[in-house]
Amino acid sequence: MPETITSRDAARFPIVASCTLFGLYLFFKIFSQEYINLLLSMYFFVLGILALSHTISPIMNKFFPANFPSKQYQLLFTQGSGENKEEIVNYEFDSKDLVCLAMSSVVGVWYLLRKHWIANNLFGLAFSLNGVELLHLNNVSTGCILLGGLFVYDVFWVFGTNVMVTVAKSFEAPIKLVFPQDLLEKGLEADNFAMLGLGDVVIPGIFIALLLRFDISLKKNTHTYFYTSFVAYIFGLGLTIFIMHIFKHAQPALLYLVPACIGFPLLVALVKGEVTEMFSYEENSTPKEEPGDSKDARMETDKKEK
């Protein structure tokens, strides 16, 4: 089920991320990098297969023939017995999901054996899509707090220390998208890469997804804020790459993505006079109960709103 990020979660996120990042840095400095990466490879091997299977399942369903045998399965894991029984895992799937799982396992074995950049990126994109799907922001203010905090986090750990770059280069796991810079010379065997952390995809991504839901809530049959923020992301990413090539130094992508992804939609809202609507939009909000309101009346109102 999707998890909603509140303003308190957003404020704590940069602190938790900083502790995690520095902890990984110390691990790589103290312990053998080979054994750490072996452990992480196995962990992300399992997670990557599940994430990729979940991602490609809706696409692959279109290619299965109508007479494909689709048997239903259920994976149920409970704790306790009788009235105290509690479900820990209750996952339903079918034969088509098993085919997708088998295909994803092939990619997983390819990644585990070769650490090929295409397999890495397939897993990385799957993690990103699942992250955007499962993490929701409850309002625009929370999104601004989250992006603003991670803006400071990214700038400090990239420009202020060598921690971010060291971890990114040492961490052999699909937590980043890699782009071969020598693709024309070496083809698929390229080994000189530029990197983009998945956080630079997921964090702006959940903010853009929030603006898409805000577009839908306006009921104007337009996706103005979604397209604006999407173009802003492309602009910010392009600016990051440009600055990186000019100064020949790793750049914190959020330094350029955050102002673009917040600034562009805010500018559009100012022009359209919808700033108040944007910041008052609350996801999963329920109207306050007025005196004299009955349960049946509220249910009838909910039906009309749906």
Coordinates of all heavy atoms in Angstrom, one line a residue, residues 67-74 92-99:
N67 N -6.2 -17.0 -24.4 CA -6.4 -18.4 -23.9 C -5.2 -18.8 -23.0 O -5.1 -20.0 -22.7 CB -6.5 -19.4 -25.1 CG -5.3 -19.4 -26.0 OD1 -4.4 -18.5 -25.9 ND2 -5.2 -20.3 -26.9
F68 N -4.4 -17.9 -22.6 CA -3.3 -18.2 -21.7 C -3.8 -18.7 -20.4 O -4.7 -18.0 -19.8 CB -2.4 -17.0 -21.5 CG -1.1 -17.3 -20.7 CD1 0.0 -17.8 -21.3 CD2 -1.1 -17.1 -19.3 CE1 1.2 -18.1 -20.6 CE2 0.0 -17.4 -18.6 CZ 1.2 -17.9 -19.2
P69 N -3.4 -19.8 -19.9 CA -4.0 -20.3 -18.6 C -3.6 -19.4 -17.4 O -2.4 -19.3 -17.2 CB -3.4 -21.7 -18.4 CG -2.1 -21.7 -19.3 CD -2.4 -20.8 -20.4
S70 N -4.5 -18.9 -16.8 CA -4.2 -17.9 -15.7 C -4.8 -18.5 -14.4 O -5.9 -18.3 -14.0 CB -4.9 -16.6 -16.0 OG -4.6 -15.7 -14.9
K71 N -3.9 -19.2 -13.7 CA -4.3 -19.8 -12.4 C -3.9 -18.8 -11.3 O -2.9 -18.1 -11.3 CB -3.5 -21.1 -12.1 CG -3.9 -22.2 -13.1 CD -3.2 -23.5 -12.8 CE -3.6 -24.6 -13.8 NZ -2.9 -25.9 -13.5
Q72 N -4.8 -18.7 -10.3 CA -4.6 -17.8 -9.1 C -3.8 -18.5 -8.0 O -4.1 -19.7 -7.7 CB -5.9 -17.3 -8.6 CG -6.8 -16.6 -9.7 CD -6.1 -15.3 -10.1 OE1 -5.5 -14.5 -9.3 NE2 -6.2 -14.9 -11.4
Y73 N -2.9 -17.7 -7.4 CA -2.1 -18.2 -6.2 C -2.2 -17.2 -5.1 O -2.5 -16.0 -5.4 CB -0.7 -18.5 -6.6 CG -0.5 -19.5 -7.8 CD1 -0.4 -19.0 -9.1 CD2 -0.4 -20.8 -7.5 CE1 -0.2 -19.9 -10.1 CE2 -0.3 -21.7 -8.6 CZ -0.2 -21.3 -9.9 OH 0.0 -22.1 -10.9
Q74 N -1.9 -17.7 -3.9 CA -1.9 -16.8 -2.8 C -0.8 -17.2 -1.8 O -0.7 -18.4 -1.5 CB -3.2 -16.8 -2.0 CG -3.3 -15.8 -0.9 CD -4.6 -15.8 -0.1 OE1 -5.4 -16.8 -0.2 NE2 -5.0 -14.7 0.5
E92 N -1.4 -12.0 -3.4 CA -2.1 -12.8 -4.5 C -1.5 -12.5 -5.8 O -1.2 -11.4 -6.2 CB -3.6 -12.4 -4.5 CG -4.4 -12.7 -3.2 CD -5.8 -12.3 -3.3 OE1 -6.2 -11.7 -4.3 OE2 -6.5 -12.6 -2.3
F93 N -1.3 -13.6 -6.6 CA -0.7 -13.5 -7.9 C -1.2 -14.6 -8.8 O -1.9 -15.5 -8.3 CB 0.8 -13.5 -7.8 CG 1.4 -14.7 -7.1 CD1 1.9 -15.8 -7.8 CD2 1.5 -14.7 -5.7 CE1 2.4 -16.9 -7.2 CE2 2.0 -15.9 -5.0 CZ 2.4 -16.9 -5.8
D94 N -0.9 -14.5 -10.1 CA -1.4 -15.5 -11.0 C -0.2 -16.0 -11.9 O 1.0 -15.7 -11.7 CB -2.5 -15.0 -11.9 CG -2.1 -13.7 -12.6 OD1 -0.9 -13.5 -12.9 OD2 -3.0 -12.9 -13.0
S95 N -0.6 -16.9 -12.9 CA 0.5 -17.5 -13.8 C 1.2 -16.4 -14.5 O 2.4 -16.6 -14.8 CB -0.2 -18.4 -14.7 OG -1.0 -19.4 -14.0
K96 N 0.6 -15.3 -14.9 CA 1.2 -14.3 -15.7 C 2.3 -13.6 -14.9 O 3.4 -13.3 -15.4 CB 0.2 -13.3 -16.2 CG -0.8 -13.8 -17.2 CD -1.9 -12.8 -17.5 CE -2.9 -13.4 -18.5 NZ -4.0 -12.4 -18.8
D97 N 2.0 -13.4 -13.6 CA 3.0 -12.8 -12.7 C 4.2 -13.7 -12.5 O 5.4 -13.3 -12.4 CB 2.4 -12.6 -11.3 CG 1.3 -11.5 -11.3 OD1 1.4 -10.5 -12.1 OD2 0.3 -11.7 -10.6
L98 N 4.0 -15.1 -12.6 CA 5.1 -16.0 -12.5 C 6.0 -15.9 -13.7 O 7.3 -16.0 -13.6 CB 4.6 -17.4 -12.3 CG 3.9 -17.7 -10.9 CD1 3.4 -19.2 -10.9 CD2 4.9 -17.5 -9.8
V99 N 5.4 -15.7 -14.9 CA 6.2 -15.5 -16.1 C 7.1 -14.3 -16.0 O 8.3 -14.3 -16.3 CB 5.3 -15.5 -17.3 CG1 6.1 -15.1 -18.6 CG2 4.6 -16.8 -17.5

